[in-house]
Amino acid sequence: MKKTVFFLMAILVSFTMASQEITEQWNGVLKVPGGQLRVVFNISKTDNGYSATLDSPDQGAKGIPVTTTSFENSVLKLEIPSAGIAYEGIVKDNAIAGNFKQGGQSFVLDMTRGTAEKEAAKRPQEPKNPFPYYTEEVTFENKIDKNILAGTLSLPSKEGKFPAVILITGSGPENRDEELFGHKPFLVIADYLTKKGIAVLRFDDRGVAKSTGDFKTATTSDFAKDVQAGVDYLRTRKEIDKNKIGLMGHSEGGVIAPIVAGNSKDIDFIVLLAGTGIRGDKLMLLQKEKIERQLGVPENEIQKGQGIFKGAYEMILTSPENDSNLKSKINSYLKLQFGNKMNEEQISGLTSQITNTWFISFLKLDPSATLEKVKCPVLVLGGDKDLQVPADVNIPAIKNALTKGGNKKVTSKMIPNLNHLFQECKTGLPDEYETIEQTFSPIALEEISKWILDQVK
């Protein structure tokens, strides 16, 4: 589900420096397993010396308070024992040549007063203009929630009548290309399918890029209404065959597609890419366990964590609707469970994460109920190295729910060596996502296109 990367953890750093020249903003790029993270130190003069804040723009973190440091003989040293972090660099003119250490690993982190840009990643599958097909910027309205969705409609040619598929993003705020870790999987998929004669509509999530609405307060059910609005829009287009409209959802999108298809006779087929078939709380625990085991976390620590989070999730699942005290209860529970292993800020951040509107609704969401209502043909695909939505558990669960509902038009396949993003990979860990040049497996693309074309003959 929502994509995991190497985090700087909850960094609390401060500067005590001897030269006013150290003040100002310092920018750098931290190259870590899985990609690159921009780092910003904002240093200002105070009556007692200096103060600073830390930004991590790629993680959406800004203004993190900074606390302890030394600056002597042009050597800047930062230490954060609680997070196992240390930084040491030599300051010269407008640059700092240094190293960032965390968890026994060391990474080069050079800082500059000027801007610091990440190295452009190699993405050989990403199509470039001019495209050999027609594309159009479109907007359509979710008339229930009164938000406008903006997207791109790709047609094999400007004139004609074509089967169509709507692409549905995974969890977290995503644009129409489902852009993440330097990849644009929906752009690659749309390009491939349009060249095969299939029209594709992809759109920015509500509240993202050019779409209006509030993403933060939206739930999976709200996103389903946005997709239905897309279906209604396609049915107004003369270039679209109204009897051949399908949905393709990735991750959470694989939960949304069945919701729409189960409540609409306008859907001719659906494709579930790394879709979930088990209740949200069970998925989050399984995801945590799989990732930690692949990382080499000791088994006793894995099981301890399972117990802690299972307890937190059970508190959420059994809490009354709109419980105003839930956040306080979870915060107290986590403090008790983690003790001094996490500081106040880390506990508060974790509490906010698992008690936000979307997360609570997702924990309670059981996809089986909606899957049983789906009567159209379904293609279920997953990668055998997916650690976020493990295919060996979720594909059988999806198939069982569809079969229970009487659907006999189900095709499923677990593709070897593919991760959650359908990239050919080594470990399946999220820290590989950005480093892999491939955006989406050609094998998976071929499976998808062949199956769709069979449905719309």
Side-chain angles (χ1 to χ4, degrees), residues 251-252 254-256 258-259 272 275-281 283 362-374 394 397-398 401-402:
S251 198
E252 186 193 7
V255 178
I256 295 169
I259 293 175
L272 310 182
T276 70
I278 60 178
R279 199 173 65 193
D281 62 315
L283 177 70
F362 185 79
L363 289 180
K364 296 179 178 181
L365 182 62
D366 186 349
S368 62
T370 53
L371 285 163
E372 289 175 22
K373 296 170 62 179
V374 176
N394 285 279
I398 291 170
L402 290 166

Side-chain angles (χ1 to χ4, degrees), residues 368-389:
S368 62
T370 53
L371 285 163
E372 289 175 22
K373 296 170 62 179
V374 176
K375 307 305 177 185
C376 66
V378 183
L379 174 62
V380 187
L381 294 181
D384 74 347
K385 289 188 176 179
D386 186 343
L387 301 177
Q388 291 187 253
V389 184

Side-chain angles (χ1 to χ4, degrees), residues 433-454:
Y433 296 166
E434 188 168 359
T435 62
I436 297 172
E437 291 186 9
Q438 183 184 81
T439 294
F440 203 93
S441 163
I443 295 171
L445 287 170
E446 183 64 14
E447 289 280 351
I448 293 165
S449 65
K450 282 177 61 179
W451 184 85
I452 292 178
L453 290 172
D454 283 343

Side-chain angles (χ1 to χ4, degrees), residues 171-280:
S171 60
E174 305 280 7
N175 65 19
R176 67 194 68 187
D177 295 328
E178 202 188 32
E179 188 171 355
L180 69 171
F181 304 111
H183 289 281
K184 299 179 181 179
F186 277 13
L187 173 60
V188 171
I189 293 172
D191 176 75
Y192 189 89
L193 294 181
T194 308
K195 288 175 180 176
K196 295 286 187 177
I198 303 164
V200 180
L201 173 63
R202 62 193 200 275
F203 62 92
D204 304 324
D205 289 349
R206 61 166 66 188
V208 176
K210 295 182 179 180
S211 290
T212 67
D214 187 353
F215 182 89
K216 292 181 180 179
T217 59
T219 65
T220 303
S221 297
D222 295 322
F223 299 132
K225 288 182 282 184
D226 292 341
V227 174
Q228 181 60 55
V231 175
D232 296 340
Y233 170 73
L234 285 183
R235 290 178 58 80
T236 69
R237 298 286 304 225
K238 62 180 177 59
E239 308 94 334
I240 302 302
D241 187 331
K242 296 177 180 58
N243 297 314
K244 296 178 181 179
I245 296 175
L247 308 174
M248 186 187 311
H250 174 239
S251 198
E252 186 193 7
V255 178
I256 295 169
I259 293 175
V260 178
N263 290 294
S264 173
K265 295 180 180 180
D266 297 329
I267 307 303
D268 189 57
F269 62 88
I270 62 174
V271 179
L272 310 182
L273 303 176
T276 70
I278 60 178
R279 199 173 65 193

Side-chain angles (χ1 to χ4, degrees), residues 265-302:
K265 295 180 180 180
D266 297 329
I267 307 303
D268 189 57
F269 62 88
I270 62 174
V271 179
L272 310 182
L273 303 176
T276 70
I278 60 178
R279 199 173 65 193
D281 62 315
K282 299 181 186 299
L283 177 70
M284 298 311 297
L285 290 171
L286 180 61
Q287 178 186 114
K288 186 176 189 301
E289 179 183 1
K290 292 277 189 178
I291 290 174
E292 288 178 345
R293 189 166 288 125
Q294 184 63 45
L295 285 168
V297 175
E299 193 64 28
N300 66 317
E301 290 296 319
I302 293 175

